[in-house]
Amino acid sequence: GGHCGWSQPAMSEPQDDLPRAHIKRIVKAKLTALMNEGGPDAKGNKAPDGHVQKEALLAFGECAKIFIHILTSTANDICRDGKRQTISVDDVFKAVEELEFGEFGEPLKEALAAFKKDAAAKSAKRNDAATKKRKAEEDDAAGEGEEDAEEANEEAAEGA
């Protein structure tokens, strides 16, 4: 692409490492999908799980970080060209296109839409729970007030 203020970093600092468990999970999930693409064999057996060397997982992590650095640099250039200071999701999508990873555009947009939908559902669920809790507390408070009024009425009737 035309934008490239990116220079290759030396092996990055350990605190910048992506979580190895996440990398392993992503790699293993893809390997399992690839191994099972043809479906079960004639006997109905599933393909064996693929294995990955520890060093290969480290290499995947380093590659992912480098990709993030390149993508960030390109998105930042696009953002600056637009005279803005904050990288937007559109800047990221444009960077993906510019880096010639356009085939990932639609899956990325679908993943973002699914994330937004999931986040909205979680937020609505939290709001519903908070509303129910608040109503329950209000009902308890109102119920206590009614009991006090009943006791006062009973006491007044006894005193009459």
Side-chain angles (χ1 to χ4, degrees):
H3 300 274
C4 209
W6 182 78
S7 60
Q8 185 172 354
M11 282 295 263
S12 50
E13 299 296 315
Q15 71 267 18
D16 293 337
D17 284 350
L18 296 171
R20 284 191 191 156
H22 292 304
I23 295 166
K24 187 174 185 176
R25 196 171 324 130
I26 292 166
V27 171
K28 286 284 215 171
K30 184 62 180 176
L31 268 180
T32 300
L34 290 170
M35 303 283 275
N36 290 308
E37 269 181 352
D41 65 15
K43 295 180 182 175
N45 297 321
K46 214 175 77 164
D49 286 343
H51 296 283
V52 185
Q53 291 179 341
K54 191 174 180 179
E55 292 81 12
L57 289 173
L58 179 66
F60 277 118
E62 286 300 316
C63 290
K65 286 192 296 189
I66 289 168
F67 181 73
I68 291 168
H69 288 212
I70 295 169
L71 190 61
T72 302
S73 179
T74 305
N76 186 53
D77 289 345
I78 292 167
C79 178
R80 284 183 175 178
D81 288 351
K83 308 280 189 254
R84 291 174 287 104
Q85 303 235 332
T86 303
I87 295 174
S88 72
V89 69
D90 287 333
D91 296 328
V92 176
F93 289 142
K94 286 175 188 166
V96 166
E97 287 284 331
E98 191 165 309
L99 292 169
E100 300 181 11
F101 287 98
E103 69 270 18
F104 297 112
E106 274 312 305
L108 285 170
K109 288 175 183 170
E110 290 168 12
L112 182 65
F115 173 80
K116 285 180 177 179
K117 185 178 176 184
D118 187 47
K122 284 179 182 173
S123 177
K125 195 173 181 180
R126 273 195 302 274
N127 289 343
D128 286 352
T131 301
K132 285 178 183 171
K133 183 178 178 185
R134 200 169 33 256
K135 282 186 178 174
E137 289 169 355
E138 288 169 3
D139 289 350
D140 286 349
E144 289 167 9
E146 288 169 10
E147 290 168 9
D148 292 344
E150 284 175 19
E151 287 174 17
N153 287 342
E154 287 172 11
E155 289 169 9
E158 288 170 7

